[in-house]
Amino acid sequence: MILMTGGSGQLASLIAARMKREGYDFLTASRGPDADRQMDFDRVETLEFAGVETLFLTSAGYAEDDVVMRRHGAVIHAARTQGVRHIVYTSLSRASDHLGFALAHRWTERQLKESGLRWTILRNGLYAELIGALAAPQDGRITAPFGTGPISAAAREDLADAAAVVLGDPAAHAGSCYELSGRTAFAVPQIAERLGLPYRPLTLEAERRRLADLPLLPFQPAMMMSIYAAASAGFLETDATDLLHLVPAPHDALAVACAAATGKTA
Ligand SMILES: NC(=O)c1ccc[n+]([C@@H]2O[C@H](COP(=O)([O-])OP(=O)(O)OC[C@H]3O[C@@H](n4cnc5c(N)ncnc54)[C@H](OP(=O)(O)O)[C@@H]3O)[C@@H](O)[C@H]2O)c1
């Protein structure tokens, strides 16, 4: 049986829909009430993996590094001691190594490789939907400080399809670490051009001040600023992607980002 954590998340629910539609022996686990099993990485007593052969571990990355590492470490430990054979993990692309939240992903990858379990690592590129949402226009112009650097973002739906391909035959993907960045990079000025809006990016300093005045969680401003800084410095583009091996006809990531920027789905 396959168990997928994070059942209520945006990525995981796309994967679950496909796996259930295709009739796999597949269950979801989540903190929410609608999942097949209730599971919260912050409560070790909920980490039950009886009967699970393959665990799809959706990263729980919206937190400080130490919190994320504690969560993922607890899951890997519980899975190993309860007889899980294979873990498929949603990591972060190598092109995203300069982002503030890359550390916990690399740490988790190392834990998996040292666990003695079979593993598959899905190094997801930044979501095109995330870039679009951050670039949503304010007062008729785009102000998010991405600079002009291209970003190899991927549609969440393509990343879900890639995950479903792997889950369809986990043994065939054991020991593989897939880079899943978008195949065609786009820059935020292209979003502005497609939407017919001016691109007037704030300076990084001005954005930092703006975020400081918002009711955000403590880790969030640093997380967002690292995306803007890495994009501005031109570090979010890469040619290294295995996406086409798993998803032969991926979405147009720029179109997906534009749809997200205007609050529509692509
Ligand atoms: N590639 C990217 O651009 C990008 C961007 C942002 C985040 N991410 C990472 O990718 C993951 C999935 O993305 P998404 O778009 O589906 O995010 P999302 O919709 O916000 O979902 C968040 C996920 O985190 C899980 N989670 C949070 N705290 C948890 C806890 N204490 N115990 C168990 N699960 C917990 C949630 O599971 P429940 O069902 O239990 O709520 C859910 O699957 C994120 O969690 C994050 O690590 C990637």
Side-chain angles (χ1 to χ4, degrees):
M1 182 252 289
I2 299 168
L3 183 76
M4 184 184 67
T5 71
S8 69
Q10 297 167 88
L11 177 70
S13 45
L14 290 171
I15 302 168
R18 177 162 160 179
M19 296 300 289
K20 292 202 167 178
R21 197 168 57 237
E22 293 179 6
Y24 286 97
D25 184 10
F26 178 88
L27 296 180
T28 58
S30 174
R31 293 167 304 167
D34 298 329
D36 301 306
R37 291 188 185 179
Q38 261 50 64
M39 189 175 290
D40 181 343
F41 299 168
D42 294 324
R43 295 171 50 226
V44 286
E45 70 277 14
T46 69
L47 302 178
E48 288 199 22
F49 297 107
V52 177
E53 180 165 25
T54 299
L55 172 66
F56 187 91
L57 170 54
T58 306
S59 57
Y62 289 114
E64 289 77 5
D65 289 339
D66 56 317
V67 175
V68 178
M69 291 189 283
R70 188 188 67 225
R71 288 173 176 168
H72 293 176
V75 173
I76 293 168
H77 175 76
R80 186 165 50 78
T81 53
Q82 293 178 45
V84 171
R85 305 278 305 280
H86 189 146
I87 296 183
V88 180
Y89 172 63
T90 63
S91 188
L92 188 65
S93 62
R94 194 170 52 214
S96 306
D97 256 344
H98 295 285
L99 299 178
F101 43 99
L103 173 70
H105 287 291
R106 297 294 170 259
W107 182 88
T108 305
E109 291 181 3
R110 192 173 65 192
Q111 295 298 112
L112 282 175
K113 289 175 180 175
E114 293 175 354
S115 68
L117 297 170
R118 292 200 306 242
W119 52 265
T120 306
I121 294 168
L122 305 177
R123 283 189 169 176
N124 289 343
L126 287 179
Y127 301 142
E129 292 88 342
L130 172 69
I131 305 301
L134 291 173
Q138 309 284 337
D139 301 324
R141 55 202 179 146
I142 294 177
T143 57
F146 281 100
T148 57
I151 303 168
S152 297
R156 209 187 252 112
E157 213 170 309
D158 292 332
L159 298 172
D161 282 348
V165 169
V166 167
L167 286 177
D169 187 4
H173 302 278
S176 293
C177 176
Y178 294 115
E179 288 289 338
L180 299 174
S181 292
R183 72 186 161 143
T184 310
F186 63 83
V188 169
Q190 288 173 266
I191 299 180
E193 192 183 336
R194 242 194 224 195
L195 298 179
L197 296 171
Y199 180 45
R200 303 274 183 271
L202 297 172
T203 62
L204 291 172
E205 291 87 340
E207 177 67 2
R208 195 177 295 113
R209 279 197 302 276
R210 192 185 74 82
L211 293 177
D213 289 337
L214 297 179
L216 298 174
L217 295 169
F219 67 88
Q220 287 178 312
M223 192 176 258
M224 292 162 75
M225 289 304 299
S226 81
I227 297 175
Y228 296 137
S232 299
F235 279 111
L236 295 181
E237 182 182 25
T238 181
D239 288 335
T241 181
D242 302 310
L243 188 64
L244 291 177
H245 298 315
L246 298 174
V247 183
H251 288 77
D252 173 351
L254 173 58
V256 171
C258 288
T262 53
K264 299 175 193 140
T265 49

